[in-house]
């Protein structure tokens, strides 16, 4: 595994729509392993492939519920609303108040291409929504009511 460089806001990579993952191969597994190691080093809650310069629809999330890898994730249903603070490893030194669904259900594939579903609520749901936005070139600062120095 290797630590990858996290792309910072201003880099147009973060504004692009990522492509679906089609090959569930060693290259994907190395990417996911590197994303996990990078996320742990940065002590973040989530990381999306475009944040390490790879325009593929893959994210990792590390929260109380555990560590998760989501390939080609999409939200299939959502419920409720929560408003709270979040930050982003690509927007260093800032945090903002963002409204997100309280609960989400997602469909995705695991690293071997097997279809899966998962339900999340609270901060876990927030982290998923934040990371999925990255796959469409959206940053939390686009949605935040308030952004301030951390
Ligand atoms: Ni982020």
């Amino acid at each position: 595994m290797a630590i990858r460089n996290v792309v910072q806001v201003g880099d147009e990579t973060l504004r692009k729509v990522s492509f679906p993952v089609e090959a569930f191969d060693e290259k994907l597994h190395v990417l996911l392993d590197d994303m996990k190691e990078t996320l742990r080093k940065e002590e973040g809650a989530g990381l999306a492939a475009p944040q390490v310069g790879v325009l593929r629809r893959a994210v990792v999330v590390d929260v109380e519920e555990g560590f998760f890898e989501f390939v080609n994730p999409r939200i299939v249903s959502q419920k409720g609303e929560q408003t709270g603070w979040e930050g982003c490893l690509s927007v260093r030194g800032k945090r903002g108040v963002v409204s997100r669904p309280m609960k989400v259900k997602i469909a995705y594939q695991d690293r071997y291409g097997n279809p899966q579903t998962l339900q999340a609520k609270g901060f876990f749901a927030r982290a998923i929504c934040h990371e999925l936005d990255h796959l469409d070139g959206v940053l939390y600062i686009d949605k935040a009511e308030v952004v301030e120095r951390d």
Side-chain angles (χ1 to χ4, degrees):
M1 293 206 281
I3 304 286
R4 300 212 187 184
N5 187 45
V6 179
V7 172
Q8 293 300 302
V9 63
D11 188 314
E12 68 178 49
T13 305
L14 292 173
R15 294 308 191 174
K16 292 183 174 163
V17 176
S18 290
F19 300 96
V21 170
E22 286 163 352
F24 295 82
D25 56 7
E26 182 62 20
K27 198 176 167 191
L28 174 68
H29 297 175
V30 169
L31 171 65
L32 290 167
D33 289 343
D34 287 357
M35 286 169 65
K36 180 180 186 177
E37 193 174 0
T38 304
L39 181 61
R40 289 262 158 92
K41 185 211 159 210
E42 300 281 354
E43 299 180 332
L47 189 66
Q51 291 182 274
V52 294
V54 178
L55 288 173
R56 289 288 173 182
R57 302 188 80 84
V59 309
V60 294
V61 172
D62 195 6
V63 289
E64 255 182 48
E65 289 83 350
F67 175 81
F68 297 86
E69 300 172 345
F70 303 127
V71 180
N72 297 326
R74 61 190 175 85
I75 292 171
V76 292
S77 66
Q78 59 184 64
K79 202 174 176 184
E81 193 184 59
Q82 57 175 320
T83 301
W85 292 97
E86 57 190 76
C88 180
L89 296 177
S90 293
V91 188
R92 292 201 191 278
K94 289 186 178 175
R95 60 180 193 151
V97 174
V98 187
S99 292
R100 301 283 190 187
M102 181 55 82
K103 293 180 179 178
V104 292
K105 182 180 179 185
I106 61 167
Y108 65 99
Q109 287 164 285
D110 64 22
R111 62 164 59 200
Y112 305 103
N114 302 308
Q116 311 280 355
T117 60
L118 176 134
Q119 296 189 60
K121 62 181 179 180
F123 186 76
F124 190 12
R126 172 179 295 284
I128 288 171
C129 292
H130 177 117
E131 297 314 323
L132 266 61
D133 273 353
H134 275 298
L135 304 181
D136 292 317
V138 175
L139 299 176
Y140 86 87
I141 50 175
D142 306 338
K143 296 181 165 181
E145 295 160 32
V146 182
V147 178
E148 63 173 40
R149 294 230 151 260
D150 196 6

